[in-house]
Amino acid sequence: MQETRLADLILWSSQSREILQRQDSVTLPAMSIKIKHYLQAQYPMHAGVLGKVATIPRLRRRDMALPEAVVRIVTGQMLSSKAAHAIYQRVREKASDLGLEGSWRLDVESLRGCGLSGSKARTICEFGARIGADSSAVDHWYSLSAEDLAEEIRRHKGMGDWTASIIALFYVGHEDVFPYADGSIRRAIGLLEGTRRTKKLRVDPDLAAPYRSYLALYLWRALDTGVIG
């Protein structure tokens, strides 16, 4: 299953926009500014583009239970943000109506009735069957490295490196994760590099280590705000 469209699925959802817009109401920590300056130094040919994007706050662990995050991510794969939000809301409402502790406990028929494809419904059901009713069953993911987390998530049918990178970045708060397979990321890099990919214009994500997550965030937001594109 191809896993793309992160900007539509997660980054620009109502909850995720709040993460990137906290600078509107609070003073940014100095480290957030230092990370931006670090990225500008690593990519001097694109420092001006990065400078036009509002400084992004430090990543942190999200409040949503990880099993519920999995449902949200799987639900929104390959959908527009509007469609993903509508379907996920129906999923949450269905789980609530049935008195379930989380959407990951819904059966295939219920998920299909909410608008999910058969493959997505089966992915969620098989995941739910493996972790059971305990919402903390995968809380050990918080303590895993990004590499170990990816390995753990790949054990679940229908979930791969893309899903792992989204969970690591947006829900666990890893600061050095880069979703290489994301379509929007590839598009942003292509726009920055242009048709003539000279050495000076290349965007090598590894240069952003140990802050590759923030490079991804800046690229997504640059697309979203029209700084590039």
Side-chain angles (χ1 to χ4, degrees):
M1 177 170 54
Q2 186 180 9
E3 297 172 312
T4 57
R5 297 302 298 273
L6 173 63
D8 282 341
L9 168 61
I10 296 294
L11 186 57
W12 308 123
S13 66
S14 58
Q15 292 186 41
S16 299
R17 280 182 181 275
E18 182 181 351
I19 292 177
L20 301 186
Q21 292 175 347
R22 286 200 302 270
Q23 63 266 37
D24 295 336
S25 58
V26 299
T27 301
L28 280 168
M31 192 60 194
S32 298
I33 299 172
K34 287 182 179 179
I35 290 172
K36 185 176 187 178
H37 289 169
Y38 173 78
L39 294 176
Q40 289 177 303
Q42 294 299 96
Y43 306 98
M45 296 297 294
H46 305 298
V49 170
L50 293 171
K52 293 178 182 179
V53 180
T55 302
I56 293 172
R58 297 291 295 276
L59 290 167
R60 60 180 176 82
R61 172 174 163 173
R62 295 281 289 281
D63 293 334
M64 180 180 286
L66 288 174
E68 195 64 45
V70 168
V71 176
R72 187 177 183 184
I73 292 168
V74 171
T75 296
Q77 287 171 351
M78 306 298 294
L79 296 176
S80 69
S81 57
K82 183 177 180 179
H85 178 74
I87 293 174
Y88 180 65
Q89 286 300 111
R90 292 198 291 270
V91 168
R92 288 295 301 270
E93 290 169 5
K94 185 66 174 179
S96 177
D97 290 344
L98 294 175
L100 300 176
E101 62 275 23
S103 303
W104 68 94
R105 300 298 290 161
L106 288 167
D107 58 29
V108 171
E109 290 74 19
S110 295
L111 290 167
R112 293 280 283 148
C114 293
L116 271 77
S117 67
S119 61
K120 290 180 181 180
R122 287 190 294 274
T123 292
I124 291 171
C125 286
E126 290 184 24
F127 171 76
R130 291 185 67 175
I131 70 168
D134 185 3
S135 63
S136 64
V138 291
D139 276 1
H140 64 282
W141 286 2
Y142 290 117
S143 63
L144 297 178
S145 67
E147 293 76 15
D148 290 342
L149 176 59
E151 182 178 350
E152 178 97 358
I153 289 174
R154 282 195 297 266
R155 295 172 183 168
H156 296 276
K157 185 177 180 180
M159 294 191 280
D161 289 337
W162 185 88
T163 303
S165 67
I166 303 315
I167 291 173
L169 201 160
F170 288 103
Y171 293 92
V172 177
H174 278 297
E175 295 189 306
D176 195 29
V177 176
F178 196 82
Y180 292 92
D182 182 74
S184 294
I185 287 290
R186 293 197 302 269
R187 177 169 174 259
I189 290 176
L191 289 169
L192 287 176
E193 292 181 337
T195 55
R196 297 177 61 188
R197 297 190 177 186
T198 65
K199 186 175 181 180
K200 289 184 178 180
L201 291 178
R202 284 197 62 235
V203 180
D204 180 0
D206 291 339
L207 292 177
Y211 301 114
R212 284 176 291 183
S213 296
Y214 295 97
L215 174 63
L217 291 170
Y218 278 107
L219 291 175
W220 279 315
R221 189 155 195 182
L223 278 176
D224 183 70
T225 57
V227 172
I228 58 176

